């Protein structure tokens, strides 16, 4: 008599493999107010014990948060065990100015950069016109950073296509140019449909691009905010996701539970497809990301032998 069939979902299957090694990284944004700064550092302290491979710190559109980004990164280096990856853009800066920022980061102990072209000031998704004395794009920025110091240079990857590119083939050509310029890792824009992402990755690997690429995961509970972000960066919002959030405008707790459930299942399914590194867009909140990492088996190291044996 054959044993009864056992049917479990991807989250349960993930929990049955507690000791595997996964790579995680987090994105934070520099705070605009004292209250926002307190929230940011609460999130950092909550997630720091998970020992991420690195954490990125963003620029605003047009480099509008440049100084705050620098301060946040410097404080991370001085006060935490984290490895900050500072966002660096070409916007509103000469090559000379950007090169000096690169040198300053190295001197401050930063060894990771996220090289991005950036958006024009106040126009996320607007037309970009490079400065005559500046770097034109992320490829040039990557090449410059690697020429100055041996940084780990991370670059953006757009599995649904960059809004300004005519095709995915063009996106793959651009990514290959970044790799040829010295990029060492890719981080994707957030997405929610797994099958198109897997098809995109097949094309990327077929093109001879071998650098690690971390899927970008957005566990967002503010659906209206998600729609705005997706519109600016060209990410699609599937109908099933809209249905899950429908009618919940006044119910933030249920929205948070849904956001965590969707992202955790997505990560578990991606892991089953061979992905072992995940980049989380935290929006400076730790709770959802911490829970998802728990699903993936990522935990703080035990601090004593007794805790390790528990």
């Amino acid at each position: 008599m054959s044993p009864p069939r056992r049917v479990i979902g991807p989250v349960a299957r993930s929990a049955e493999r507690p000791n595997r090694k996964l790579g995680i990284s987090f994105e934070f944004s520099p705070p605009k107010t004292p209250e926002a700064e307190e929230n940011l550092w609460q999130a950092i302290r909550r997630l720091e014990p998970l020992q991420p491979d690195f954490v990125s710190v963003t620029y605003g559109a047009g480099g509008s948060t440049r100084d705050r980004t620098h301060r946040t990164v410097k404080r991370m280096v001085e006060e935490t065990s984290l490895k900050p990856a500072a966002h660096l853009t070409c916007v509103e800066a000469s090559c000379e100015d950007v090169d000096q920022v690169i040198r300053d980061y190295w001197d401050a102990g930063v060894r990771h950069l996220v090289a991005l072209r950036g958006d024009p000031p106040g126009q996320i998704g607007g037309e970009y016109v490079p400065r005559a004395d500046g770097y034109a794009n992320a490829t040039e920025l990557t090449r410059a950073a690697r020429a100055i110091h041996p940084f780990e240079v991370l670059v953006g990857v757009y599995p649904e296509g960059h809004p300004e590119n005519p095709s995915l083939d063009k996106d793959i050509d651009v990514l290959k140019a970044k790799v040829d310029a010295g990029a060492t890792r890719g981080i994707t824009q957030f997405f929610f449909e797994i099958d198109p992402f897997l098809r995109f990755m097949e094309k990327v690997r077929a093109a001879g691009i071998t650098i690690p690429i971390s899927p970008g995961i957005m566990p967002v509970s503010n659906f209206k905010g998600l729609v705005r972000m997706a519109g600016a960066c060209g990410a699609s919002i599937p109908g099933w996701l809209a249905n899950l959030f429908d009618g919940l405008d006044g119910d933030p707790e249920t929205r948070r539970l849904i956001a965590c459930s969707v992202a955790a299942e997505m990560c578990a399914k991606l892991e089953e497809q061979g992905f072992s590194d995940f980049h989380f867009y935290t929006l400076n909140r730790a709770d959802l990301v911490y829970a998802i990492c728990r699903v993936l088996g990522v935990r703080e190291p035990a601090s004593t032998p007794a805790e390790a044996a528990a």
Side-chain angles (χ1 to χ4, degrees), residues 157-161 186-201 213-220 226 229-230 233-238 240-241 259 262-271 273 275 277-281:
V157 178
Y158 300 87
E160 296 181 273
I187 300 172
T188 79
Q189 182 59 266
F190 66 84
F191 62 94
F192 295 97
E193 294 281 31
I194 293 178
D195 287 344
F197 169 73
L198 295 177
R199 290 194 293 271
F200 172 80
M201 286 301 302
I213 295 178
S214 301
I217 308 299
M218 177 73 82
V220 65
L226 175 64
M229 287 187 285
C233 67
S236 64
I237 304 296
W240 59 261
L241 187 62
V262 168
E265 182 181 63
M266 184 175 174
C267 289
K269 287 184 176 180
L270 285 168
E271 190 190 355
Q273 293 298 319
F275 292 88
D277 295 275
F278 299 94
H279 186 69
F280 294 99
Y281 297 102

Side-chain angles (χ1 to χ4, degrees), residues 92-251:
E92 294 295 292
S94 67
C95 295
E96 184 179 355
D97 290 340
V98 172
D99 290 353
Q100 188 57 54
V101 170
I102 292 170
R103 294 186 184 96
D104 289 345
Y105 274 135
W106 184 271
D107 291 343
V110 175
R111 297 295 182 265
H112 297 69
L113 295 175
V114 182
L116 304 167
R117 187 202 68 186
D119 292 297
Q123 303 180 54
I124 296 178
E127 182 179 358
Y128 177 79
V129 179
R131 277 178 51 148
D133 62 347
Y135 294 116
N137 51 46
T139 300
E140 292 187 4
L141 191 57
T142 297
R143 185 175 294 110
R146 294 281 289 175
I148 293 170
H149 286 298
F151 284 96
E152 294 291 322
V153 179
L154 294 70
V155 294
V157 178
Y158 300 87
E160 296 181 273
H162 191 283
E164 297 176 23
N165 286 337
S167 68
L168 284 179
D169 288 339
K170 175 63 175 176
D171 280 284
I172 292 172
D173 288 342
V174 171
L175 177 58
K176 192 171 190 309
K178 294 176 185 177
V179 173
D180 291 343
T184 56
R185 176 179 290 276
I187 300 172
T188 79
Q189 182 59 266
F190 66 84
F191 62 94
F192 295 97
E193 294 281 31
I194 293 178
D195 287 344
F197 169 73
L198 295 177
R199 290 194 293 271
F200 172 80
M201 286 301 302
E202 287 178 359
K203 290 186 175 182
V204 166
R205 297 313 186 198
I209 299 171
T210 60
I211 62 169
I213 295 178
S214 301
I217 308 299
M218 177 73 82
V220 65
S221 59
N222 181 340
F223 186 71
K224 289 183 178 179
L226 175 64
V227 170
R228 288 193 298 271
M229 287 187 285
C233 67
S236 64
I237 304 296
W240 59 261
L241 187 62
N243 289 339
L244 288 175
F245 285 98
D246 184 45
L248 295 176
D249 290 353
D251 190 347

Side-chain angles (χ1 to χ4, degrees), residues 4 12 37 42 44 87 89 91 105 142 148 162 167 169 261 264 291-292:
E37 182 162 12
Q42 286 178 353
I44 289 171
H87 281 216
T89 73
V91 177
Y105 274 135
T142 297
I148 293 170
H162 191 283
S167 68
D169 288 339
S261 175
I292 296 161

